[in-house]
Amino acid sequence: MNLNNIAIFCGSSNGANESYVKAANDMGKFLALTNRKLIYGGAKVGCMGELANASLTYHGHVIGVIPQKLVDVEIAHEDINELHTVADMHERKAKMAELADGFIALPGGAGTLEEWFEVFTWLQLGYHKKPCGFLNINGFYDPLISMLENTVKEGFMKKSYLDLIIIDPNPKSLIEKMEAFEMNSISKW
């Protein structure tokens, strides 16, 4: 699978550990140096801003998708290559999904999780066949993976769906795993 356009969901804050900012920088740099377009939430703050700035520093192409409400509070990154201003979060997610060949969540809060889980649900339901991964910095996503394992154990999710999630702490190896992704035919019911 060719991943030229990667959507990244991540925090609009820096988080409590400097490794999260470093991970955002490393991912932005890696995308730029491998000629991949970054598609992200369009903000200039937090890990989102760090991600975009790192990609721009290495001459990457950065596409932001941001709701008008966030433009109004002046957190839009105006120095990126393309900035799509949309009406709301629903339109933001749809536009990012349309533009992306794959999806990655870096550490972040409820918004990061909500955006990633929506595209992951779409994968389960067959609305797309694009890989979904976690950049698992310092085991950030380990508790969530344990929770998802529990959903399998308790009969709310098939193990085959859990196996669709690609997890790695390194941008290069995560994207390599995502490029090897093949969506097998899985029946939801």
Side-chain angles (χ1 to χ4, degrees):
M1 172 172 285
N2 200 355
L3 296 178
N4 294 320
N5 307 302
I6 300 180
I8 307 283
F9 307 115
C10 62
S12 60
S13 64
N14 289 339
N17 188 316
E18 65 187 40
S19 64
Y20 303 139
V21 170
K22 183 182 181 322
N25 279 290
D26 289 348
M27 179 60 82
K29 178 181 177 180
F30 180 75
L31 294 177
L33 293 178
T34 56
N35 297 314
R36 290 179 171 88
K37 290 182 182 177
L38 164 63
I39 299 149
Y40 85 116
K44 63 183 177 185
V45 297
C47 288
M48 293 173 71
E50 296 289 336
L51 173 72
N53 290 337
S55 188
L56 292 169
T57 296
Y58 291 92
H59 310 290
H61 190 93
V62 179
I63 302 169
V65 184
I66 191 166
Q68 182 64 52
K69 183 173 183 163
L70 298 180
V71 172
D72 294 344
V73 296
E74 300 180 352
I75 66 165
H77 198 314
E78 296 174 353
D79 296 326
I80 59 178
N81 303 95
E82 299 176 45
L83 183 64
H84 299 267
T85 302
V86 295
D88 55 34
M89 293 297 289
H90 297 292
E91 194 175 328
R92 176 198 227 177
K93 292 181 289 186
K95 184 67 173 176
M96 290 177 74
E98 171 192 326
L99 295 171
D101 300 322
F103 308 94
I104 296 173
L106 275 63
T112 299
L113 295 172
E114 186 273 334
E115 289 174 318
W116 187 89
F117 269 106
E118 183 156 347
V119 294
F120 178 64
T121 301
W122 293 347
L123 174 64
Q124 290 180 60
L125 295 173
Y127 285 106
H128 69 76
K129 294 182 178 187
K130 302 172 184 181
C132 298
F134 288 125
L135 188 67
N136 195 21
I137 304 303
N138 292 337
F140 181 84
Y141 283 110
D142 290 352
L144 180 61
I145 298 305
S146 293
M147 178 63 204
L148 292 172
E149 289 169 345
N150 192 55
T151 65
V152 171
K153 178 182 155 213
E154 295 298 328
F156 289 102
M157 186 166 82
K158 292 180 180 180
K159 173 81 166 72
S160 57
Y161 290 140
L162 182 62
D163 293 341
L164 294 174
I165 302 171
I166 302 165
I167 306 163
D168 201 283
N170 177 278
K172 181 180 186 291
S173 53
L174 176 62
I175 290 174
E176 287 172 353
K177 290 175 183 178
M178 291 175 70
E179 287 180 324
F181 175 80
E182 289 184 32
M183 178 65 180
N184 297 321
S185 181
I186 299 173
S187 172
K188 174 75 176 155
W189 291 275

